[in-house]
Structure formats: structure tokens, C-alpha cells
Amino acid sequence: INVILHDAAFSRKSTVAVFINAGSNDEPPELHGISHFLEHMLFKGTKNRTSKEIVNTVEHNASEINAFTTKEKTSYYISGPKEFVPNAIELLHDMLFNSLFDSAEIQKEIDTKVLAEAAAKKIADDKKIVAEVAAAAAATAAARAIPISQAS
């Protein structure tokens, strides 16, 4: 785990970021997507805070919290006023080491992922249908463009 504090002298804002050296490339095939899943779960509440309290703490301090997963890393970060840095560090620590992984929240995340995958499949299927219809229309238009004397 790497922790970075970006404190620009010319700005009143700072960013605290935690980079975990684990991403989608580190996942075995049977656990594909687990890094991103865990990224989401850390926002669902800790032993000390509900998910709403996490968001409210950040927002009431004119700050932003977010996360992302890449092939090599998972990162969590908070950007806000320099005065909020100690609280941001404590909040990220709480999320990383005290997350609850409540079964109801896990199921909601799984259901959301399943629905998103179903929507993505539907979009892909719709695109395939559109491509097939467009190809058929193009073939019909091309057949109509052949002069009658050459059609027979």
C-alpha cells in the first residue's frame, strides 16, 4: 500500500490518495471483477460509520471522495481543504481496515453488477440486431440498384 499526500503550495486544497498494488490483472479467472467489487464495498460502511456518514463527513467538509480500479492498482482518494487532511487520512484508514462487508450490501452490489451486465448484453444484442438490419437494408438497396436488364 502506498499513501500519497499532494499538498500544492499555491492551493488551499490537498489530496490524500491510497494506492493498493492490486488490480484486475491480479485476479484469478474465477474471481474476475473482485478488485472493482471490493472497491465499491469499502464505501458501504465501517464499524465506525455508515455509508451515509462517510459521504456526509466528506461533503460537509467541502471535499470529494472517490476510487478507481485499474489493471495494476486500486486507489481511494479524498480531495479537500488542507485542514481536512488529518480527517481524510483517518477516514480512508477506517474504510480500508474496518469495512463491514454486510451481507445485504454484498447482495445489492452483486445484483447491481448482474443488472449492469444484463444491460450491457442487451445493448450489445441491440447493436447486433441494428447491424443485421442495416446489412439487410444495404443488400436490398444494392439489389434495387441493379438495372432490370442485368437482374435476370
Side-chain angles (χ1 to χ4, degrees), residues 133-148:
V133 169
T140 302
R144 289 184 182 156
I146 300 172
I148 295 175

Side-chain angles (χ1 to χ4, degrees), residues 22 41 43 56 61 82 96 134-135 145:
M41 289 305 301
F43 286 86
N56 288 343
N61 286 283
K82 290 181 180 186
L96 288 164

Side-chain angles (χ1 to χ4, degrees), residues 84 93 95 115-116 128 135 140 143 146:
F84 189 61
H93 177 273
M95 291 170 63
L115 290 173
K128 183 179 176 186
T140 302
I146 300 172

Side-chain angles (χ1 to χ4, degrees), residues 31-86:
L31 292 176
H32 177 71
I34 192 72
S35 299
H36 192 227
F37 174 80
L38 291 172
E39 172 202 315
H40 282 225
M41 289 305 301
L42 264 63
F43 286 86
K44 303 289 185 178
T46 72
K47 294 176 190 171
N48 304 307
R49 295 173 174 91
T50 65
S51 60
K52 192 172 190 171
E53 289 170 331
I54 291 170
V55 171
N56 288 343
T57 298
V58 172
E59 288 181 353
H60 283 93
N61 286 283
S63 299
E64 298 174 21
I65 187 169
N66 211 336
F68 61 88
T69 302
T70 68
K71 292 179 180 178
E72 292 83 23
K73 298 195 181 308
T74 303
S75 178
Y76 302 86
Y77 62 92
I78 298 175
S79 295
K82 290 181 180 186
E83 304 79 44
F84 189 61
V85 166

Side-chain angles (χ1 to χ4, degrees), residues 113-124:
K113 183 179 182 209
V114 167
L115 290 173
E117 287 175 356
K121 183 179 182 330
K122 179 170 181 1
I123 289 168

